[in-house]
């Protein structure tokens, strides 16, 4: 009986850890992308601006460009995490493949945990995995 409780407890804690990893940020993003809600997916990374007057033309353009990229390859089919690089316990670089009708899209997401919660620091997309890895490694 005690072994059964111990095993159940371990399984429960592992599933809870997986679903709450990085405060659920990548999961929420992918869930919205799967629904075709690209703008909301990007908002889930950084949130909506508190003061719309402080939004720059550059940030509006960057968001519009990202939404266009997420929508340009047709129907969404799947996503899968293909790499996870942790630097200590407070920084992570996650790379996903998103399968679309026309071709795959790769996205790398940099996450940072300042105090008690994770936040997206940056992200990059590319339909060519080798170019994405090169860009991420060069910091461009």
């Amino acid at each position: 009986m005690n072994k059964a409780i111990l095993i159940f407890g371990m399984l429960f804690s592992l599933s809870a850890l997986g679903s709450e990893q990085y405060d659920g940020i990548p999961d929420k993003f992918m869930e919205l992308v799967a629904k075709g809600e690209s703008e909301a997916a990007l908002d889930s990374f950084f949130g909506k601006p508190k003061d719309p007057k402080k939004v720059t033309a550059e940030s509006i353009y960057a968001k519009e460009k990202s939404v266009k990229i997420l929508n340009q390859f047709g129907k969404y089919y799947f996503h899968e995490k293909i790499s996870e690089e942790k630097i200590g316990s407070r920084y992570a670089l996650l790379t996903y493949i998103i399968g679309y009708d026309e071709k795959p899209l790769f996205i790398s997401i940099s996450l940072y945990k300042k105090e008690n919660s994770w936040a997206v620091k940056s992200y990059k997309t590319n339909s060519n995995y080798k170019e994405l890895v090169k860009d991420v490694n060069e910091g461009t």
Side-chain angles (χ1 to χ4, degrees):
M1 177 72 172
N2 286 340
K3 285 183 182 180
I5 292 172
L6 178 64
I7 291 171
F8 178 74
M10 287 173 42
L11 290 174
F12 179 76
S13 65
L14 287 174
S15 68
L17 176 65
S19 65
E20 293 301 316
Q21 193 171 30
Y22 308 115
D23 295 338
I25 294 169
D27 296 334
K28 179 69 173 174
F29 176 81
M30 292 301 171
E31 176 186 315
L32 291 166
V33 167
K35 292 178 182 177
E37 299 176 18
S38 302
E39 189 169 347
L42 292 167
D43 286 341
S44 76
F45 273 176
F46 301 109
K48 293 203 178 236
K50 293 177 180 150
D51 185 356
K53 295 175 191 170
K54 293 185 178 182
V55 177
T56 65
E58 190 176 278
S59 65
I60 291 170
Y61 173 75
K63 183 178 177 181
E64 288 173 352
K65 185 177 174 185
S66 295
V67 168
K68 184 178 177 185
I69 289 169
L70 289 170
N71 292 333
Q72 75 179 349
F73 299 124
K75 182 181 175 188
Y76 167 93
Y77 284 102
F78 69 89
H79 70 271
E80 179 181 345
K81 182 169 45 173
I82 56 175
S83 72
E84 177 176 4
E85 181 182 350
K86 286 187 171 185
I87 300 168
S89 63
R90 297 193 170 267
Y91 189 86
L93 178 63
L94 311 175
T95 302
Y96 289 83
I97 180 174
I98 304 173
Y100 287 103
D101 192 33
E102 291 182 31
K103 62 181 174 179
L105 179 69
F106 298 93
I107 183 167
S108 284
I109 307 163
S110 299
L111 295 148
Y112 172 63
K113 186 175 185 178
K114 187 165 101 177
E115 290 180 2
N116 296 322
S117 61
W118 288 91
V120 174
K121 296 312 292 176
S122 66
Y123 67 95
K124 290 183 182 267
T125 61
N126 199 321
S127 60
N128 182 312
Y129 179 71
K130 288 183 181 182
E131 287 179 20
L132 176 69
V133 170
K134 182 181 173 192
D135 285 349
V136 168
N137 287 336
E138 290 176 356
T140 60

